């Protein structure tokens, strides 16, 4: 007796372990960063990195967002916890409605209903690296660049030459300290 043929089941694209397609790095990294931020109460990590744009440079120096907590199963009506430096807390408490408005404008909907303040010292923002001054392109390089027909490539190379001429040479590495870490050997007895 012949067996009836079983229907052919095609695997769903989502169920397939490998798709063979190239994926953007941001597609992979975004998931990793999102998990870390959600773990610490941030649905959107940009609020931390763009805090000075949201509340202004003056208030960003003395405060930083610590977490956002939403009611179970909702993405609105949340509580924003701010870490505020010392005596600036009463001032920021008076500005709480303004902070709520600006954070909600940043999100695009009524995400925050309340702000809770916690005393502490917010971490200082990292200083931006100093950019070297641009110097005019040396004549010997300028003559060689004029022969390049593509104007976009010529502009990029001129910019690169100007930045290289603005530096004082190759980067240097400081020598190790005069007092190296002492190494003690265990004597055998």
């Amino acid at each position: 007796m012949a067996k009836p043929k079983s229907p052919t089941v095609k695997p769903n694209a989502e169920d397939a372990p490998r798709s063979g397609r190239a994926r953007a790095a941001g597609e992979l990294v975004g998931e990793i960063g999102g998990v870390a931020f959600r773990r610490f109460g941030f649905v959107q990590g940009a609020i931390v990195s763009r805090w000075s744009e949201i509340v202004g440079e003056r208030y960003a120096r003395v405060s930083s967002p610590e977490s956002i907590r939403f009611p179970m199963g909702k993405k609105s009506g949340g509580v924003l916890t701010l870490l505020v430096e010392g005596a600036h807390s009463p001032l920021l408490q008076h500005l709480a409605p303004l902070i709520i408005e600006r954070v909600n404008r940043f999100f695009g909907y009524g995400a925050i209903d309340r702000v809770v303040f916690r005393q502490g010292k917010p971490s200082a923002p990292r200083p931006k690296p100093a950019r070297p001054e641009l110097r005019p392109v040396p004549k010997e390089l300028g003559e060689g660049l004029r022969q390049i027909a593509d104007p976009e490539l010529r502009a990029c190379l001129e910019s690169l030459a100007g930045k290289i001429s603005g530096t004082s040479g190759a980067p240097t590495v400081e020598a190790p300290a005069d007092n190296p870490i002492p190494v003690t050997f265990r004597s055998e007895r």
Side-chain angles (χ1 to χ4, degrees):
M1 214 171 185
K3 290 184 180 179
K5 291 184 179 180
S6 63
T8 306
V9 178
K10 292 183 179 179
N12 191 358
E14 296 171 293
D15 296 338
R18 297 181 131 191
S19 63
R21 70 174 178 88
R23 295 194 307 177
E27 187 178 330
L28 301 171
V29 175
E31 295 171 5
I32 295 168
V35 169
F37 278 122
R38 271 188 237 107
R39 180 175 174 208
F40 292 105
F42 286 103
V43 188
Q44 188 174 9
I47 193 171
V48 176
S49 60
R50 298 178 64 187
W51 184 244
S52 61
E53 294 174 34
I54 295 170
V55 295
E57 191 65 38
R58 178 180 178 189
Y59 302 123
R61 272 187 263 132
V62 296
S63 69
S64 66
E66 195 172 67
S67 67
I68 299 175
R69 303 285 179 202
F70 293 107
M72 186 71 88
K74 295 185 179 180
K75 295 293 180 193
S76 63
V79 177
L80 170 66
T81 304
L82 290 180
L83 186 64
V84 181
E85 185 178 329
H88 296 281
S89 185
L91 172 67
L92 289 176
Q93 284 178 346
H94 287 291
L95 296 173
L98 179 67
I99 293 171
I100 291 170
E101 175 194 344
R102 289 185 179 182
V103 170
N104 286 340
R105 189 180 326 144
F106 175 76
F107 279 116
Y109 67 97
I112 304 299
D113 280 349
R114 196 167 57 104
V115 179
V116 174
F117 298 95
R118 196 172 74 79
Q119 293 284 329
K121 185 160 178 92
S123 60
R126 293 182 184 173
K128 294 182 180 178
R131 304 265 177 174
E133 293 181 14
L134 292 179
R135 295 181 184 162
V137 179
K139 289 184 180 181
E140 57 272 3
L141 286 178
E143 295 298 322
L145 293 175
R146 288 192 184 119
Q147 298 172 357
I148 297 174
D150 186 13
E152 188 176 340
L153 177 61
R154 185 178 340 110
C156 287
L157 290 174
E158 285 175 354
S159 172
L160 177 63
K163 289 178 183 175
I164 290 174
S165 67
T167 61
S168 59
T172 58
V173 178
E174 294 181 14
D178 293 335
N179 298 330
I181 299 173
V183 178
T184 57
F185 294 99
R186 192 173 183 188
S187 62
E188 296 180 35
R189 289 187 182 191

